[in-house]
């Protein structure tokens, strides 16, 4: 998906442009050879307001088709991985990528309805996609690794994923630029097919999953149905209970508000860093891939190297941990707001690229929020806490995506950078909440609600921080490619 995501966005611009110029009809008919768009000038199409509005509309439908079924799937994904086995979950998730590759290749080679892509995204949402794959991989590592070596495996997996996130979009853009869309989607299809075959015939399944499947026997379908219903109801009840605990503390409620505002900002990522650069500078998928590579590499450097050094310095100098984290949070949000204003104001490609230097400094907001939030409940309830918080990012994201696309479609012709100012306003709101709602006394009150961790537990948590923080970069980058 990382190889084909950006080239498809470029292909979508060409398809929408071609249809607008042909009066909204497909003169050649469906399933006829499309060619390689030699007669369509990408640069001029990408800069047209009507084309950008059309692409934003289709991108919205494709996003909703994937995210709407994806939210309930995530609620029961953990149980699905346990009941069906890690390998089967990965097979199902990768099958959705295989379907997307076939549809992308068909759209590049033939005239097909874009609604077919919407349907493929719906299938991807039902299969869980990247989220279920990550959950299955995590469960597999936990089950098959020594606890003392587990962190090393997590770091290795996240490092490999980070390399893919950095290089995949740029590689896909390069193939599309120099060899055409058909080859890049054929490459995506070949990779996903090889992975599916590897999972099917080579990758060993979890022994626990195989044993459980044998024990369930013919009653497995009924058991799964009952368990899925029970886990869904339990998850909803747990979310309500978690929110009621959060509401008791002003600082916890403020952190939840910051998390929700961050989710709203994520709704504009695709518009701001895919459509806007193509509109402003005529960037193709290769150029946007270079932008993603530069941005992701800097964020990973901040999260995996610079932030741990900063935390180590705070500990070494004996500074108050809570006060330091609150200061880091406020500075990070302020820098994020400045980066939005920077992207909105610059007029040259070099200045736009330099914005990645500014925005990368805000990448430690999310791990800091998680660190402060983790004091609210005991270690045995951390999963329920963060799964409930995740819903406050995902659900508002669905509605915000509709609003963001509507704003961009209505302003792209006259004020295309308006979306950056809207996101800067959201960051300003988050900054005000962090300034007036998050305090050291509030965090200490939250700690009284939870269980104070021992020094050994804190060391174990610190060892996992690098892998968890890199995950934030991966999630943000993958959101660009959906």
């Amino acid at each position: 998906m990382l190889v084909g995501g950006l080239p498809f966005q470029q292909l979508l611009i060409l398809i929408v442009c071609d249809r607008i110029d042909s009066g909204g009809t497909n003169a050649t008919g469906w399933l006829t050879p499309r060619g390689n768009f030699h007669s369509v000038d990408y640069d001029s199409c990408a800069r047209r307001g009507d084309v950008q509005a059309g692409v934003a509309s289709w991108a919205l439908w494709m996003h909703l088709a994937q995210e709407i079924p994806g939210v309930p799937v995530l609620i029961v994904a953990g149980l699905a991985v346990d009941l069906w086995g890690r390998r089967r979950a990965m097979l199902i998730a990768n099958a959705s990528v295989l379907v997307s590759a076939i549809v992308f290749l068909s759209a590049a080679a033939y005239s097909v309805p874009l609604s077919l892509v919407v349907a493929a995204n719906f299938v991807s949402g039902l299969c869980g996609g990247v989220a279920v794959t990550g959950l299955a991989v995590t469960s597999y590592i936990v089950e098959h690794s020594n606890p003392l070596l587990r962190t090393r495996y997590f770091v290795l997996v996240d490092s490999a994923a980070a390399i893919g996130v950095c290089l995949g979009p740029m590689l896909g853009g390069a193939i599309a630029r120099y060899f055409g869309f058909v080859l890049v989607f054929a490459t995506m299809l070949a990779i996903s097919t090889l992975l599916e075959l590897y999972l099917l015939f080579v990758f060993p399944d979890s022994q626990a999953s195989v044993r459980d499947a044998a024990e369930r026997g013919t009653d497995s379908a009924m058991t799964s149905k009952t368990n899925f219903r029970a886990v869904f109801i339990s998850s909803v009840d747990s979310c309500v209970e978690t929110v009621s605990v959060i509401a008791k503390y002003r600082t916890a409620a403020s952190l939840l508000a910051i998390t929700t505002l961050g989710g709203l900002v994520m709704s504009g990522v695709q518009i701001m860093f895919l459509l806007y650069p193509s509109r402003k500078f005529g960037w193709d998928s290769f150029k946007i891939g270079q932008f993603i590579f530069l941005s992701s590499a800097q964020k990973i450097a901040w999260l995996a190297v610079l932030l741990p050094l900063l935390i180590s310095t705070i500990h070494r100098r004996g500074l108050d941990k809570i006060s330091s984290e609150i200061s880091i949070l406020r500075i990070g949000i302020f820098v994020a707001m400045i980066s939005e204003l920077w992207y909105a104001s610059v007029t040259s490609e070099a200045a736009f690229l330099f914005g990645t230097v500014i925005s990368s400094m805000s990448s430690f907001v999310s791990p800091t929020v998680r660190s402060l939030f983790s004091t609210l409940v005991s270690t045995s309830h951390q999963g329920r806490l963060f799964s409930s918080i995740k819903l406050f990012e995902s659900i508002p994201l669905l509605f915000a995506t509709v609003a963001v696309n509507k704003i961009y479609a209505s302003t792209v012709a006259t004020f295309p950078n308006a979306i950056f100012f809207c996101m800067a306003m959201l960051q300003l709101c988050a900054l005000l909440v962090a300034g007036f709602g998050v305090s050291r006394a509030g965090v200490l009150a939250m700690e009284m609600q939870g269980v104070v961790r021992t020094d050994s537990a804190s060391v174990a948590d610190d060892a996992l921080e690098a892998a968890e923080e890199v995950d934030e970069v991966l999630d943000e980058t993958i959101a660009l490619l959906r």
Side-chain angles (χ1 to χ4, degrees):
M1 194 66 183
L2 293 174
V3 173
L6 287 180
F8 181 75
Q9 296 297 324
Q10 181 179 348
L11 176 64
L12 183 60
I13 290 176
L14 293 172
I15 292 174
V16 171
C17 184
D18 186 47
R19 292 190 178 180
I20 290 176
D21 290 343
S22 62
T25 61
N26 187 14
T28 58
W30 302 123
L31 298 179
T32 56
R34 187 185 290 282
N36 205 24
F37 288 100
H38 292 299
S39 61
V40 183
D41 180 37
Y42 173 78
D43 186 71
S44 61
C45 285
R47 295 175 184 269
R48 286 170 50 179
D50 57 343
V51 173
Q52 288 276 324
V55 171
S57 177
W58 276 110
L60 172 61
W61 284 109
M62 294 172 187
H63 176 80
L64 293 178
Q66 183 172 359
E67 295 300 324
I68 289 177
V71 171
V73 166
L74 284 178
I75 294 177
V76 297
L79 179 62
V81 170
D82 291 336
L83 288 177
W84 297 340
R86 298 23 167 154
R87 184 181 66 174
R88 188 176 298 180
M90 285 187 272
L91 276 168
I92 294 173
N94 184 68
S96 67
V97 180
L98 191 63
V99 171
S100 296
I102 294 173
V103 173
F104 288 178
L105 182 59
S106 301
Y110 300 97
S111 296
V112 298
L114 288 176
S115 55
L116 188 63
V117 182
V118 176
N121 281 26
F122 184 79
V123 172
S124 179
L126 285 178
C127 294
V130 176
V132 169
T133 300
L135 183 60
V137 169
T138 299
S139 301
Y140 192 91
I141 290 175
V142 170
E143 184 175 339
H144 291 273
S145 64
N146 186 318
L148 296 177
L149 301 176
R150 193 168 293 161
T151 300
R152 180 184 303 174
Y153 291 117
F154 281 129
V155 171
L156 287 174
V157 169
D158 284 339
S159 297
I163 293 173
V165 164
C166 288
L167 297 181
M170 188 166 61
L171 176 62
I175 296 174
R177 170 181 282 191
Y178 297 110
F179 302 102
F181 294 111
V182 171
L183 183 59
V184 71
F185 298 134
T187 302
M188 178 182 172
L189 178 60
I191 293 173
S192 56
T193 300
L194 288 174
L195 179 57
E196 194 77 0
L197 293 174
Y198 174 78
L199 290 171
L200 190 60
F201 297 109
V202 180
F203 189 81
D205 201 357
S206 165
Q207 291 301 313
S209 299
V210 173
R211 183 174 62 252
D212 291 344
E215 292 174 354
R216 286 196 303 271
T218 57
D219 295 332
S220 60
M222 183 63 69
T223 302
S224 299
K225 182 177 180 181
T226 303
N227 286 344
F228 274 119
R229 184 185 301 114
V231 77
F232 186 87
I233 295 173
S234 176
S235 298
V236 173
D237 291 341
S238 176
C239 181
V240 172
E241 180 182 354
T242 301
V243 172
S244 65
V245 173
I246 291 174
K248 296 178 181 178
Y249 302 93
R250 178 179 177 180
T251 292
S254 298
L255 290 172
L256 184 62
I258 292 171
T259 300
T260 303
L261 288 168
L264 295 178
V265 172
M266 283 294 293
S267 66
V269 167
Q270 189 178 45
I271 296 292
M272 294 186 292
F273 303 119
L274 289 182
L275 294 183
Y276 178 80
S278 64
R279 167 77 165 80
K280 183 73 174 179
F281 309 115
W283 283 4
D284 60 7
S285 56
F286 179 60
K287 195 71 176 181
I288 297 175
Q290 291 178 314
F291 174 86
I292 291 177
F293 173 82
L294 184 62
S295 177
S296 299
Q298 291 178 85
K299 289 180 179 180
I300 290 172
W302 267 102
L303 292 174
V305 180
L306 299 177
L307 183 58
L309 286 176
L310 178 61
I311 294 174
S312 176
T313 301
I314 292 173
H315 290 168
R316 187 170 60 253
R317 294 187 176 183
L319 300 177
D320 183 74
K321 179 179 181 293
I322 296 175
S323 299
S324 299
E325 287 185 344
I326 293 174
S327 297
I328 290 173
L329 173 64
R330 292 168 179 169
I331 293 172
I333 297 173
F334 176 76
V335 172
M337 181 183 69
I338 295 300
S339 68
E340 301 289 359
L341 296 174
W342 177 272
Y343 285 125
S345 304
V346 298
T347 57
S348 67
E349 294 185 37
F352 196 84
L353 286 171
F354 181 77
T356 60
V357 177
I358 303 174
S359 62
S360 66
M361 299 178 190
S362 66
S363 55
F364 42 76
V365 169
S366 183
T368 304
V369 169
R370 288 205 310 272
S371 176
L372 294 172
F373 246 135
S374 65
T375 63
L376 183 61
V377 298
S378 64
T379 54
S380 62
H381 286 69
Q382 293 290 316
R384 276 168 278 188
L385 171 66
F386 288 109
S387 63
S388 300
I389 293 171
K390 189 66 177 177
L391 291 176
F392 278 83
E393 290 181 303
S394 302
I395 295 177
L397 181 61
L398 291 176
F399 299 98
T401 302
V402 177
V404 166
N405 277 266
K406 293 297 183 183
I407 292 172
Y408 185 72
S410 61
T411 60
V412 65
T414 56
F415 191 25
N417 53 345
I419 194 65
F420 288 100
F421 290 105
C422 293
M423 297 301 119
M425 289 298 297
L426 291 176
Q427 297 287 9
L428 176 60
C429 292
L431 182 61
L432 293 174
V433 171
F436 295 101
V438 180
S439 65
R440 184 178 185 278
V443 176
L444 291 175
M446 290 165 57
E447 287 183 344
M448 296 299 294
Q449 167 73 25
V451 176
V452 180
R453 294 177 294 179
T454 64
D455 291 340
S456 59
S458 298
V459 170
D461 289 344
D462 290 341
L464 286 169
E465 279 184 359
E468 292 177 344
E469 290 159 1
V470 170
D471 280 340
E472 296 295 325
V473 180
L474 304 184
D475 292 342
E476 181 179 339
T477 307
I478 290 170
L480 271 170
L481 307 178
R482 289 179 175 174

